[in-house]
Amino acid sequence: MNLAEGVQLVSFIILAVAMIGAALGVVLSPSVVYAAFLLGAVFISISGLYLLLNASFVAAAQILIYVGAVNVLILFAIMLVNKREDFQPVKFAWVRKAVTGGVCAGLFLLLGTTIITTPWAFSTETPIGDDAIYLIGEHFFSDFLLPFELASVLLLMALIGAIVLARRDFLPDAALTSDIENLKLPERPRELVSAAKTEQ
Amino acid sequence: MDVANLASQLNAGLILPEGIVIITLLLVLVVDLIQGRKANRVTPYIGIGGLLASLGAIAFQWDNPVSNAFLGSFSSDPLSLVFRAIIVLSAMVTIMISIRYVEQSGTSLGEFITILLTASVGGMVLSGANELVTIFVALETLSISSYLLTGYMKRDPRSNEAALKYLLIGASSSALFLYGVSLLYGLSGGQTELVAIATNLAASDQSLGLVIALVFVIAGVAFKISAVPFHQWTPDVYEGSPTPVVAFLSVGSKAAGFALATRMLITVFPLLTDEWHFVFTALAILSMVLGNIVALAQTSMKRLLAYSSIGQAGFVMIGLIAATEVGYASMLFYLFIYLFMNLGGFACIILFSLRTGTDQISEYAGLYQKDPLITLGLSLCLLSLGGIPPLAGFFGKLYLFWAGWQAGLYTLVLVGLFTSVISIYYYIRVVKMMVVKEPQEMSEVVKNYPKVTWDLPGLKSLQVALVLTVVATTLIGILSNPVFTLATDSVNNTPFLKLDLARTGTQPVAVLPEAIAPANPL
């Protein structure tokens, strides 16, 4: 093992430990804000792994998109919904946690076995390194042209949808005075028969 | 590769139907932006016109010998053309029945149509997508627009609840699907095209990874077609969404799911045919049994149709599992008929809820004296869904069961027959409620039924859609031959299905999985 390989191994171990620790923190931390910040740490460690794999463009995109956009959005959402509420402790909460833990452990074992037993086909080409960005661009305008263009339609629609959901609707007076409920389903809600019976 | 060379290889003309829909949605958006609320008179008809043009483009491509476009990422073979036509038709009828509904709720119509058109673009690309990245982007376009449409009545808690449930369950199923797809990418040594993946997978040994990939892919697909046990979102989402959206989800979105299932499972997993047939048999039996039995207990019309659509998806799966020429053709035939009968039923429910503000089944009592058109239309559509001769649904089911029986799927066909009988019970219950009741047994709502007028804006198109779908439901049964030929031709002329049929043997008897393929040990 030469120096380069040693550095690689050590940085891999550091990144992996940081990632697993932060991911456990996301799941186990009782405070949502800490969980959100730890999620950012997970994303940054993943981008470190991409750097180790010689994929610098993906690493940069990971930080820009996940830390810069997704994680900031999550933090904003948490800040907007800052209503403090004390929940009643649920009875037998540990059963839920145990079952979740069991399912997750089972899934981990299954996927772990899959990864170890599968004869993966390794690529013999040398990693393209920093030229990847040119290659990605070429793919975007040749064999990935259709999804690339379709993604623009998707983004346009997401933009419109976000505006529709977030804007304050202007209700014309004519509609306000009528007995029609605005921005609601025309069907009346169901009467909850069983609930009404227990109250009596 | 220079630009001119690339442009000639792309065959971009094959996505003309999608292109027309995209231009239409941009046009709707711009007209709506310029004219404001006045645009509500124009935009739906622009949408309908664009979809008609797109349908024309699809028909025009029928005999096109070249089917591969975008360097293999999209294929416009006859099978995808039929699925795209079904999606376009369902979007068109949905727009026709939604105009009055959306206007009455006070939400904006232009955006509704834009999002609906985007959803149909997603579904259309999904029907022809031949490559993993395209499949995923198209799937997400369809799903995300569906989430938005579900939550469109944003002041209504039921709509919010439906959108949130659909989003959360949909996102997790997308994640599962994506994980399965990434396993396929890895197992095939970095291929994204379905055919290339199949070739590379055939060269390597079978492994546990392939099975896991299959399971995850099926989980993603089964969510879209709402097969039991991936159906939990369906009743709540159907109840809380605006009714026209439910109509689109139950027909267009489901057809897109079936298109994806057919193309992806048949092309990528020939090694695991027995396994995925087995899983789909289980899904089909569960869907038929649970969908039809739980529907018996429903009191709301929308929930009833939600469970009935789960059951119907189970019937359609029989054709897919039969894996014969007639099997695939019967699947297309049934989906085509299902389009008309289900959308006709939804048109009637929308009209009734617009006039009375309810969708409880008990409130339909005695409707035939006040509104014969709704009574007739809803009765015909529900009886057709149940499979009563001589309506279209009977021939569709007959064809499906016959194909299944020929392929040796005896259990599946028997379960199908048995659950059809159950389904007739709950469909007829609604018909009986409307027709048989004496005048004094009429529900309060029907007693105070408003005078039947078609003057309000948007009601005319609803009427046209209702009459057209009901006429189609009635007549396709008797005049089924053209549709029948269309379905068979599309199966015969589709390259990947031809390959599959050649591999399994074209004789219908030989499709018994045990008979042709030596059992592949895992």
Side-chain angles (χ1 to χ4, degrees), chain A residues 114 118 141-142 144-147 154 157 160-161 164 167 169-170 180 182-190, chain B residues 6 10 101 104-108 111 118 131 134 148 154-156 158 187 209 239-240 243 302 353 357 360:
Chain A
T114 312
T118 304
F141 286 97
S142 59
F144 291 127
L145 183 61
L146 184 64
L154 171 64
M157 187 272 310
I160 296 167
V164 167
R167 79 171 161 204
D169 270 82
F170 161 73
I180 300 156
N182 279 293
L183 309 185
K184 286 194 176 177
L185 297 169
E187 292 94 5
R188 279 192 297 273
R190 260 186 311 163
Chain B
L6 180 69
L10 280 182
Y101 191 96
Q104 189 154 325
S105 68
T107 41
S108 58
E111 282 86 342
T118 320
E131 185 247 346
T134 317
L148 287 170
K154 55 185 180 182
R155 296 264 177 88
D156 196 308
R158 286 171 295 163
L187 288 168
E239 193 187 4
T243 320
K302 274 160 112 178
S353 67
Q360 293 298 303

Side-chain angles (χ1 to χ4, degrees), chain A residues 187 190, chain B residues 226 231 233-240 243 246-247 250 254 287-313 315 338 341-342 345-346 348-349 359-364 378-379 381-386 419-434:
Chain A
E187 292 94 5
R190 260 186 311 163
Chain B
S226 66
H231 70 288
W233 58 276
T234 320
D236 290 332
V237 169
Y238 279 25
E239 193 187 4
T243 320
V246 183
S250 68
K254 212 165 254 201
S287 306
M288 287 190 287
V289 171
L290 192 126
N292 285 316
I293 288 181
V294 180
L296 290 174
Q298 299 308 314
T299 54
S300 142
M301 203 61 206
K302 274 160 112 178
R303 278 183 93 89
L304 176 88
L305 281 182
Y307 281 106
S308 114
S309 86
I310 295 174
Q312 302 281 349
F315 295 134
Y338 178 66
M341 49 196 192
N342 217 32
F346 273 111
C348 297
I349 296 174
D359 73 327
Q360 293 298 303
I361 295 173
S362 54
E363 304 282 15
Y364 281 78
L378 193 55
S379 305
C381 290
L382 289 183
L383 291 177
S384 178
L385 279 170
T419 49
S420 296
V421 175
I422 299 177
S423 77
I424 289 173
Y425 172 76
Y426 62 77
Y427 290 127
I428 289 205
R429 195 165 59 109
V430 181
V431 177
K432 188 184 127 212
M433 191 64 96
M434 290 188 294

Side-chain angles (χ1 to χ4, degrees), chain A:
Chain A
M1 188 191 282
N2 55 24
L3 185 63
E5 280 174 355
V7 170
Q8 219 170 18
L9 185 70
V10 170
S11 33
F12 173 75
I13 291 171
I14 293 173
L15 282 171
V17 168
M19 184 155 64
I20 293 172
L24 282 177
V26 174
V27 184
L28 299 176
S29 153
S31 152
V32 194
V33 182
Y34 287 148
F37 276 111
L38 284 171
L39 191 64
V42 175
F43 290 145
I44 289 177
S45 331
I46 291 177
S47 87
L49 282 188
Y50 287 143
L51 277 182
L52 277 185
L53 293 170
N54 231 338
S56 45
F57 175 73
V58 188
Q62 168 84 15
I63 292 186
L64 274 177
I65 295 169
Y66 282 92
V67 185
V70 176
N71 208 39
V72 171
L73 191 70
I74 292 175
L75 280 171
F76 264 110
I78 292 170
M79 282 194 284
L80 287 175
V81 193
N82 56 357
K83 196 170 153 196
R84 243 176 212 293
E85 208 171 314
D86 290 322
F87 293 104
Q88 289 274 324
V90 190
K91 267 187 193 173
F92 299 115
W94 64 272
V95 177
R96 240 189 258 182
K97 281 179 186 159
V99 169
T100 316
V103 169
C104 289
L107 206 58
F108 177 76
L109 278 180
L110 180 68
L111 295 179
T113 329
T114 312
I115 292 169
I116 292 167
T117 54
T118 304
W120 296 99
F122 291 105
S123 167
T124 45
E125 290 170 37
T126 45
I128 195 159
D130 287 342
D131 285 338
I133 188 162
Y134 299 109
L135 202 66
I136 292 172
E138 273 174 29
H139 275 299
F140 270 160
F141 286 97
S142 59
D143 48 351
F144 291 127
L145 183 61
L146 184 64
F148 181 62
E149 297 296 337
L150 188 63
S152 63
V153 181
L154 171 64
L155 287 177
L156 173 71
M157 187 272 310
L159 199 69
I160 296 167
I163 293 170
V164 167
L165 288 186
R167 79 171 161 204
R168 189 169 300 184
D169 270 82
F170 161 73
L171 302 174
D173 294 339
L176 275 177
T177 48
S178 68
D179 55 349
I180 300 156
E181 283 179 289
N182 279 293
L183 309 185
K184 286 194 176 177
L185 297 169
E187 292 94 5
R188 279 192 297 273
R190 260 186 311 163
E191 288 149 23
L192 295 171
V193 183
S194 54
K197 268 181 192 161
T198 48
E199 277 167 22
Q200 283 165 5

Side-chain angles (χ1 to χ4, degrees), chain B residues 218-278:
Chain B
I218 287 181
V221 171
F223 163 77
K224 265 270 154 283
I225 57 180
S226 66
V228 179
F230 302 95
H231 70 288
Q232 282 99 341
W233 58 276
T234 320
D236 290 332
V237 169
Y238 279 25
E239 193 187 4
S241 314
T243 320
V245 176
V246 183
F248 180 76
L249 288 183
S250 68
V251 179
S253 176
K254 212 165 254 201
F258 272 107
L260 172 66
T262 315
R263 188 174 300 272
M264 191 152 179
L265 294 175
I266 291 177
T267 317
V268 178
F269 297 104
L271 289 175
L272 296 178
T273 311
D274 292 354
E275 282 80 1
W276 76 256
H277 278 179
F278 177 72

Side-chain angles (χ1 to χ4, degrees), chain B residues 51-254:
Chain B
L51 288 170
L52 269 179
S54 165
L55 202 61
I58 291 175
F60 195 67
Q61 280 190 11
W62 186 254
D63 288 325
N64 201 340
V66 189
S67 70
N68 260 351
F70 290 92
L71 307 173
S73 60
F74 187 81
S75 79
S76 172
D77 43 26
L79 187 84
S80 87
L81 286 174
V82 171
F83 274 117
R84 282 145 85 193
I86 291 176
I87 293 165
V88 168
L89 271 174
S90 74
M92 201 159 69
V93 179
T94 307
I95 291 183
M96 288 165 96
I97 59 181
S98 66
I99 302 172
R100 184 66 217 151
Y101 191 96
V102 174
E103 282 200 45
Q104 189 154 325
S105 68
T107 41
S108 58
L109 188 58
E111 282 86 342
F112 182 85
I113 292 170
T114 312
I115 301 175
L116 185 70
L117 288 175
T118 320
S120 38
V121 169
M124 287 163 81
V125 177
L126 189 62
S127 314
N130 218 354
E131 185 247 346
L132 297 179
V133 181
T134 317
I135 287 177
F136 188 69
V137 176
L139 189 70
E140 284 305 290
T141 311
L142 175 62
S143 309
I144 293 178
S145 357
S146 308
Y147 308 149
L148 287 170
L149 287 175
T150 306
Y152 205 72
M153 304 293 157
K154 55 185 180 182
R155 296 264 177 88
D156 196 308
R158 286 171 295 163
S159 187
N160 300 349
E161 183 199 339
L164 198 62
K165 267 189 187 159
Y166 198 21
L167 172 72
L168 291 178
I169 301 180
S172 42
S173 94
S174 290
L176 280 183
F177 182 77
L178 195 59
Y179 192 87
V181 160
S182 77
L183 277 179
L184 284 179
Y185 178 78
L187 288 168
S188 64
Q191 296 294 336
T192 58
E193 256 180 70
L194 297 187
V195 182
I197 291 175
T199 322
N200 282 11
L201 284 181
S204 65
D205 313 339
Q206 269 200 47
S207 64
L208 185 60
L210 195 56
V211 181
I212 303 267
L214 175 70
V215 170
F216 283 165
V217 166
I218 287 181
V221 171
F223 163 77
K224 265 270 154 283
I225 57 180
S226 66
V228 179
F230 302 95
H231 70 288
Q232 282 99 341
W233 58 276
T234 320
D236 290 332
V237 169
Y238 279 25
E239 193 187 4
S241 314
T243 320
V245 176
V246 183
F248 180 76
L249 288 183
S250 68
V251 179
S253 176
K254 212 165 254 201

